[in-house]
Amino acid sequence: MTNTLHITSISELHAALGLGAPAHPLVSFFNPSQVKHGITETVKICFDLYLMSLKDSAHCMVGYGHTSYDFDIGTMTFLAPGQEVVIEATEPLESSLGWTIAFHPQLIGKSDLSSKLSQFTFFEYQNSEALHLSECERVMVTDIASSIGNETEMNMDKHTQSLICSSIELLLKYCSRFYDRQFIVRGDLNHDYMRRFNQFLDSYYQGEKPFEQGIPTVQYCGKEIGLSPYYLSDLLKKETGKTALEHIHLFLVERAKSQILDTSDSITQIAYELGFEYPQHFSKLFKAKTGISPRQFRNDPTAIH
């Protein structure tokens, strides 16, 4: 049976890893060589913290699924509060280029970063969707992370929180840039995922699933093709300019057009066949995407804007 550990604070994190008392109550920077407590058995850990970790390729103990297009100098993973991670039994590492920054949501609660954090969707990615860095990129993020660590070691004053939050935001912006680069170099792989996504939607509507389960969610689609919903949506946004939800809606509208013109089924029946619980929701979506109602389209298909 896998044990479960709930880490609610920086102090609890330090205690669990044998790091000693933290220099700052809400944020910590450490590297693997400082960890004194190894993991003696497989454990599931739930964090009430944000974590950003860089692992060098020599010490990556889990498969991150990077392709031949990716760099292999360092791998970054991100974790948001409330998420769980399963860690296999390991011994403390004597040396590593890696590091971890952990911070409590209270650290950024009154800062501008609090309202911006939702932009950094990679906190919701799976480990297999990790960020792979070049040597230059690894140096850049490590310099910023080290500056955060240095700031935690200084005597706290009225500037401390602002400087740390600014550095965390800068680090996240660079990671966002590097993820954009990774999406670009993974073009062929991304197109394969897009093809699988479209094939999944086609197959979903070949059977009774729309009646039984309704319209497929982004979460459901991602699971079926092996991606987290946020990664799937970001991938599609980078490639097409539209999110996964927008793609699903466009698919529904195009399928609805065919049924409206090629069958005598009522608009209500078509809505139910597409998985809508309420026909008026279908009509609202159709009009939002085409500029006219389903009935207007049936009467005059050329009236679409």
Side-chain angles (χ1 to χ4, degrees):
M1 179 182 295
T2 301
N3 290 327
T4 300
L5 181 63
H6 190 185
I7 302 293
T8 65
S9 66
I10 296 296
S11 294
E12 288 184 6
L13 177 65
H14 275 232
L17 299 178
L19 292 172
H24 192 290
L26 296 177
V27 60
S28 177
F29 169 82
F30 59 90
N31 60 61
S33 63
Q34 295 174 287
V35 175
K36 303 306 179 185
H37 294 170
I39 304 297
T40 58
E41 59 184 343
T42 300
V43 60
K44 180 187 295 183
I45 305 178
C46 179
F47 294 94
D48 289 348
L49 309 169
Y50 289 96
L51 284 92
M52 300 176 281
S53 295
L54 170 71
K55 298 177 176 66
D56 66 70
S57 57
H59 293 96
C60 280
M61 304 302 292
V62 295
Y64 288 108
H66 61 83
T67 73
S68 59
Y69 304 110
D70 294 325
F71 297 110
D72 59 1
I73 300 300
T75 299
M76 283 197 70
T77 55
F78 305 84
L79 202 68
Q83 295 178 341
E84 293 182 341
V85 60
V86 176
I87 300 178
E88 304 292 337
T90 58
E91 293 295 329
L93 298 175
E94 294 298 327
S95 63
S96 174
L97 298 174
W99 46 260
T100 293
I101 290 175
F103 64 94
H104 195 279
Q106 289 181 5
L107 176 76
I108 63 170
K110 296 182 180 180
S111 71
D112 293 339
L113 179 57
S114 179
S115 61
K116 299 176 183 177
L117 208 59
S118 61
Q119 301 172 13
F120 304 108
T121 51
F122 43 78
F123 274 106
E124 305 292 338
Y125 289 179
Q126 300 172 4
N127 274 348
S128 59
E129 299 154 355
L131 175 61
H132 301 283
L133 303 174
S134 69
E135 174 61 20
C136 178
E137 292 168 350
R138 184 192 65 78
V139 171
M140 292 178 71
V141 296
T142 297
D143 284 346
I144 300 171
S146 297
S147 72
I148 295 171
N150 291 336
E151 187 61 37
T152 65
E153 297 293 336
M154 300 177 67
N155 292 328
M156 282 190 285
D157 57 32
K158 65 179 182 180
H159 303 286
T160 301
Q161 184 175 9
S162 175
L163 288 170
I164 291 176
C165 289
S166 295
S167 294
I168 290 175
E169 183 175 355
L170 180 61
L171 176 59
L172 293 174
K173 286 181 176 179
Y174 271 109
C175 291
S176 184
R177 167 190 274 184
F178 300 151
Y179 256 118
D180 283 348
R181 181 267 307 155
Q182 184 163 294
F183 278 117
I184 291 172
V185 300
R186 286 184 171 189
D188 290 344
L189 182 62
N190 294 344
H191 291 158
D192 180 60
Y193 278 124
M194 290 170 60
R195 177 184 57 79
R196 290 164 59 186
F197 175 59
N198 290 326
Q199 286 179 340
F200 165 74
L201 290 177
D202 284 332
S203 64
Y204 186 88
Y205 278 91
Q206 296 303 315
E208 299 298 315
K209 285 186 177 179
F211 283 108
E212 299 169 355
Q213 302 180 31
I215 299 169
T217 64
V218 177
Q219 288 84 351
Y220 185 85
C221 293
K223 182 178 180 181
E224 289 298 307
I225 64 175
L227 295 175
S228 67
Y230 283 92
Y231 191 89
L232 172 61
S233 198
D234 288 347
L235 182 157
L236 291 169
K237 185 74 172 180
K238 295 293 190 302
E239 292 289 336
T240 68
K242 295 180 175 61
T243 65
L245 183 60
E246 289 175 311
H247 275 274
I248 293 171
H249 286 168
L250 289 173
F251 176 89
L252 291 171
V253 169
E254 290 304 311
R255 191 172 182 87
K257 287 180 183 178
S258 297
Q259 291 184 249
I260 290 170
L261 296 181
D262 298 340
T263 73
S264 59
D265 295 343
S266 68
I267 301 301
T268 295
Q269 184 177 352
I270 291 172
Y272 288 137
E273 289 176 354
L274 291 173
F276 285 89
E277 186 175 2
Y278 303 104
Q280 58 267 36
H281 290 175
F282 162 64
S283 296
K284 183 178 180 180
L285 174 65
F286 191 93
K287 187 170 185 177
K289 296 299 181 182
T290 66
I292 60 176
S293 70
R295 287 184 174 80
Q296 288 174 308
F297 177 73
R298 173 166 274 172
N299 293 330
D300 183 9
T302 64
I304 288 181
H305 298 333

